[in-house]
Amino acid sequence: MEDSKAKKKVSVLIPCYNAEKWLRETLDCCLRQTYKNIEVVLVDDGSTDGSLAIAREYEQCDPRVHVYSQPNSGGCRARNLAFEKSTGDYIMYLDADDLMSDNKIEVQVKRLEEEGDPKAVAVCPWETFTDTLPSKHTERFLYKDYPTGLDLIEEAWYNNEWFVVSCYLTTCQLIAEAGPWDERLTKVQDGEFFCRVLSKASHVMYCPSAMFCYRIGYASVSRGNKFVENKLNSALLGRILCKQTVLPLRDTPCVRRGLARNFSIVLLTSPYGSRWYLEAKKQIEQLGERPHHPSPSPVVAIVEKIIGFDRLLHLKMLLGKWKHSRYCCL
């Protein structure tokens, strides 16, 4: 049983939008944490289902739960409001449909307290699930300690891996120094935010005995964006902001290659020749790099090697138009 004397408080910050199907399970996993000195700060982002009522029910039953609501304004605004209302020494972000092991917070707080560095960051392994929790996690390249936050960013970009948001436990001080979530973003907002956090982090400590479980297959406050143009604007702007944060601090071939990979994702997901496509291509050229497929299949890799990435995407566009016209003529 944990000794509650002088235990620092952990604030779990939850943006919530139409998550009534999973919210009880998520709140239960927070409240049964073996580390008891926590508060759950939930901001309902204008849900149209029963999410807010469920959250209010938990607030009435447990004094550690604090619920706020706002008109639908997006996940970034909800996270910023939750941070403004929080009172904890440590901060963890959690989506309203995700889960974590019962010991996650305790394990990470222990490591951070032993270190005693207000700019240190703790991370843990993670796994995806839909309805059934995974029995084990996938081994990933990033599962280790890092001497600086920039070292983690460099390897994450270069190897096309990342920690998801709820893997992190940080001090309130570090979050305050990094600044708020950028409310213009509806895509890449987590990567942009934690680029700023990690750029100020002294070092990163991996906690293998904790676990975070990321639910996939359903829309949520962070994934249910309505407008394609907003998504494309955000995907490009988020990566430009990451470049502006990291490159002045760590200008290495690996960082430039990783940034080029990030902008190549914009090329891959934007209409060929569109303004988003052309700007991403320009950003890659400014880095002194060439566009390349971020994760090609063996066949795609061969074709790209022969004709180049730009021509590969042009060919993809032409094939798409051909399939569409063929279907319309049937």
Side-chain angles (χ1 to χ4, degrees), residues 126 138-144 146 152-164 168 261-262 294:
W126 63 281
T138 304
E139 287 300 326
R140 304 179 198 276
F141 184 85
L142 300 179
Y143 288 173
K144 56 187 175 184
Y146 285 89
L152 170 54
I153 292 173
E154 183 170 14
E155 289 202 350
W157 284 350
Y158 189 76
N159 292 282
N160 199 28
E161 288 189 4
W162 200 248
F163 284 105
V164 293
Y168 295 96
R261 182 196 296 273
N262 289 343

Side-chain angles (χ1 to χ4, degrees), residues 275-291:
R275 59 187 175 89
W276 304 284
Y277 186 97
L278 295 175
E279 180 58 32
K281 192 173 180 181
K282 176 183 171 183
Q283 292 287 333
I284 294 170
E285 291 170 354
Q286 290 175 351
L287 289 164
E289 295 285 335
R290 297 177 62 184

Side-chain angles (χ1 to χ4, degrees), residues 8 11 30 42 84 99 121 143 163 170 234 238 245 250 303:
K8 290 186 177 179
S11 296
C30 293
L42 183 146
E84 291 168 15
L99 301 173
V121 173
Y143 288 173
F163 284 105
T170 71
S234 180
T245 295
R250 178 69 64 88
V303 175

Side-chain angles (χ1 to χ4, degrees), residues 303-318:
V303 175
E304 180 183 355
K305 187 174 181 180
I306 296 171
I307 67 175
F309 189 53
D310 187 76
R311 289 181 179 176
L312 174 66
L313 295 181
H314 190 202
L315 178 62
K316 177 185 173 185
M317 179 199 70
L318 294 175

Side-chain angles (χ1 to χ4, degrees), residues 104 108 122-126 143 163 166-168 205-208 210-212:
K104 178 187 184 292
Q108 291 185 304
V123 293
C124 71
W126 63 281
Y143 288 173
F163 284 105
S166 299
C167 290
Y168 295 96
M205 299 178 294
Y206 175 59
C207 303
M211 169 69 85
F212 168 68

